[in-house]
Amino acid sequence: MKRSVPLRTEKRRSVGLAISRSALLVFATLSVLMVGFAAERACGETWAERLGYPAGKKVLILHAHEMGMCQSTNAAAEQLLSSGLPHSTSAMAPCPWFSDYALKIGEQP
């Protein structure tokens, strides 16, 4: 049985569709970000103001991320949290030390 369309042409089409979908996803993401930035400018309110700081005030937010990656990141996070330095943390659930971090963070006030 003969094929009506050569295999190479089918591969090109599927690659072209994948590129088109990727381009569409990038375009949609950028569009959402641009709308968000435009709304922030139109509103005139900065993230610092949304968090309750006065207008024109510069704010530094410290965030510790990738907790649960290994024992040393968990130990460093525990030390930082006890000092009050980071304002937020995030953990990576599929990592081997995640459960250890979740137990320790649950003990924090």
Side-chain angles (χ1 to χ4, degrees):
M1 183 175 197
K2 280 189 164 182
R3 293 180 57 90
S4 60
V5 179
L7 185 58
R8 282 189 192 166
T9 306
E10 287 179 8
K11 283 186 179 179
R12 285 187 200 147
R13 284 183 190 160
S14 65
V15 170
L17 286 174
I19 291 170
S20 298
R21 288 181 188 142
S22 297
L24 181 61
L25 181 62
V26 168
F27 176 74
T29 304
L30 289 175
S31 298
V32 168
L33 289 174
M34 289 173 56
V35 167
F37 289 135
E40 184 176 333
R41 285 191 170 199
C43 181
E45 190 176 45
T46 64
W47 281 105
E49 292 168 349
R50 290 180 188 178
L51 292 170
Y53 293 96
K57 193 80 166 172
K58 293 191 186 254
V59 178
L60 175 66
I61 298 172
L62 299 176
H63 175 78
H65 67 103
E66 296 185 1
M67 300 301 116
M69 177 73 86
C70 59
Q71 194 277 330
S72 59
T73 59
N74 291 355
E78 189 176 359
Q79 189 176 9
L80 283 171
L81 286 169
S82 66
S83 72
L85 259 182
H87 297 104
S88 65
T89 63
S90 62
M92 296 174 37
C95 289
W97 286 85
F98 172 77
S99 59
D100 175 64
Y101 180 71
L103 290 172
K104 287 180 181 177
I105 198 71
E107 297 168 0
Q108 293 291 326

